[in-house]
Amino acid sequence: MDQSIPAAYVEYRGMETKPDDFDTFWLSQKEEVERATLHVQLELQETVVFQGKKVYRIQFQALDKTPIIGWYICGETRHKQCLLTTHGYRSQKKSPHEYLHWVDAGVDVLAFDMRLQGGETGCMTPLDGPFKEVIALNILYLPKSYLLMVYQDMMLASRLPEWLGYEGYVLEGTSQAGGLSMATACLMQTATAVMINVPSNSDLDERVRQSAGSFKAFQMLCNR
């Protein structure tokens, strides 16, 4: 069976629609994340017991002061590397036991809920728009748009492994988590490795044009 990548996929570059201030904008976002003081809370889950491992409820303060909530799972003797991950769209972080295989494989785990998608993380910023698809909220005001805030959250989360004392970290995720991991890796340039699967947000122009999945909300907004 021929498993080579079709030439059309290799050559595809998408539409060139970046605004002139694209690089300047994202550089300013990176600098804001790097300047931010980390406010982190760890709470050992004493009733969640797995042999040779510790589970903490962790939360850090986002740029808008929203508590971003997740799990921190490590071995009794911590590993040198940490895995940073989240979840697919409109989902939530999994139960701690579903991350134990990563610890057994040699990396500790940080796994977070994204804002307003079914888990514990809410949002302190006032939001406006079609609440059926949270990614479209505040899209007409970019500095406070939902999409920008989740990118900022993930970029800020990428500072936690160093804060916790790890030598390096791996970004991992599928779909929305994959898209956020890819963007974080490119923007922050601090990950040891990146493992992503079917990353969302990879070709936004095409997704909006085709009304693909949750991005139908953007086409509806444009049409209106």
Side-chain angles (χ1 to χ4, degrees):
M1 179 184 295
D2 182 9
Q3 296 185 348
S4 60
I5 300 174
Y9 293 171
V10 175
E11 298 167 3
Y12 181 70
R13 293 293 180 268
M15 300 168 63
E16 184 55 64
T17 59
K18 290 195 304 184
D20 293 338
D21 65 347
F22 182 88
D23 293 329
T24 303
F25 174 84
W26 283 110
L27 179 60
S28 70
Q29 299 304 314
K30 176 183 177 182
E31 290 175 344
E32 184 176 5
V33 166
E34 291 174 336
R35 287 195 305 267
T37 301
L38 285 176
H39 298 281
V40 187
Q41 295 180 22
L42 285 170
E43 180 183 347
L44 180 64
Q45 304 297 285
E46 296 181 357
T47 60
V48 183
V49 179
F50 301 109
Q51 186 174 0
K53 301 175 180 67
K54 294 181 180 179
V55 176
Y56 295 84
R57 185 179 187 272
I58 184 171
Q59 72 175 50
F60 68 90
Q61 184 175 284
L63 298 181
D64 69 342
K65 302 192 184 310
T66 294
I68 309 298
I69 300 169
W71 300 122
Y72 168 47
I73 307 165
C74 61
E76 292 284 358
T77 301
R78 293 198 314 178
H79 294 100
K80 294 181 179 181
Q81 298 277 337
C82 184
L83 182 91
L84 174 59
T85 189
T86 178
H87 53 75
Y89 184 59
R90 299 294 288 268
S91 184
Q92 57 187 288
K93 67 183 184 302
K94 294 176 282 191
S95 298
H97 74 273
E98 297 183 73
Y99 298 102
L100 298 183
H101 63 286
W102 288 115
V103 183
D104 290 335
V107 290
D108 296 335
V109 177
L110 286 164
F112 290 98
D113 281 325
M114 291 290 97
R115 298 167 181 247
L116 301 175
Q117 292 193 28
E120 295 183 79
T121 300
C123 186
M124 300 290 286
T125 296
L127 297 167
D128 181 53
F131 275 83
K132 183 178 179 181
E133 298 297 353
V134 293
I135 60 167
L137 295 175
N138 282 12
I139 196 62
L140 297 181
Y141 181 49
L142 184 60
K144 297 296 182 182
S145 64
Y146 180 89
L147 268 179
L148 177 59
M149 287 190 291
V150 293
Y151 280 113
Q152 291 171 333
D153 295 345
M154 194 67 178
M155 292 162 66
L156 197 56
S158 74
R159 292 181 52 195
L160 294 177
E162 182 180 11
W163 184 88
L164 288 165
Y166 288 94
E167 294 181 7
Y169 71 99
V170 177
L171 284 160
E172 186 271 345
T174 293
S175 192
Q176 173 184 253
L180 290 171
S181 292
M182 181 165 60
T184 300
C186 293
L187 288 164
M188 300 302 287
Q189 296 287 308
T190 52
T192 303
V194 185
M195 300 185 296
I196 56 177
N197 181 39
V198 291
S200 183
N201 304 359
S202 299
D203 194 340
L204 296 185
D205 298 295
E206 188 66 11
R207 288 200 69 179
V208 173
R209 189 181 71 82
Q210 293 187 6
S211 286
S214 58
F215 282 82
K216 183 178 182 179
F218 291 99
Q219 191 184 89
M220 292 173 64
L221 184 63
C222 292
N223 290 342
R224 189 173 69 194

